[in-house]
Amino acid sequence: MIRSILKVEGLALLVASVYFYFAHADGGWIMFAVLLLAPDISLLGFVTGDNRIGAVVYNAVHNYVLAAGLIVIGAALDSSLAVQLGLILAAHVSMDRAIGYGLKYTTHFKHTHIQAV
């Protein structure tokens, strides 16, 4: 039940992020397509073989706090690029949540706050 709620929340935030990116932030398809999967570069933290380092690096990127911070800073500084980047990050994090990927625990790559992948 809780896992389903988290997935639905992720889907709702994905739709909202994409909507605001295109309807209000004047974002373009090319930048969105190119950068949507860019946050997954943080998975390289797991290449070290240390799950703790991998989880810290992955979780530092895959969270709504960073996305919201970019959006707020962009709005405050009138930077459409920062707002667009924040919305793309929010879309990525939301997409991950909608399909069941969550923040990583330090115990194992497949252990997330939503489920064991």
Side-chain angles (χ1 to χ4, degrees):
M1 171 78 166
I2 293 173
R3 186 179 307 152
S4 296
I5 292 170
L6 290 172
K7 288 181 177 184
V8 171
E9 281 181 342
L11 181 60
L13 287 170
L14 173 59
V15 170
S17 299
V18 172
Y19 170 76
F20 283 108
Y21 177 81
F22 289 106
H24 296 287
D26 298 323
W29 276 106
I30 293 173
M31 185 166 93
F32 187 83
V34 168
L35 295 179
L36 182 62
L37 298 179
D40 283 338
I41 292 171
S42 65
L43 286 167
L44 291 175
F46 286 99
V47 173
T48 64
D50 184 341
N51 286 330
R52 187 179 51 79
I53 292 171
V56 167
V57 171
Y58 180 89
N59 293 342
V61 175
H62 285 79
N63 66 78
Y64 290 117
V65 175
L66 180 58
L70 281 169
I71 294 166
V72 169
I73 289 169
L77 299 177
D78 199 28
S79 169
S80 60
L81 178 61
V83 171
Q84 291 167 356
L85 292 174
L87 288 167
I88 292 170
L89 179 57
H92 176 87
V93 172
S94 300
M95 178 181 64
D96 278 1
R97 301 294 195 277
I99 59 176
Y101 293 119
L103 297 171
K104 304 289 187 189
Y105 286 108
T106 58
T107 54
H108 193 276
F109 173 78
K110 293 185 176 187
H111 295 165
T112 75
H113 85 285
I114 296 177
Q115 66 181 350
V117 181

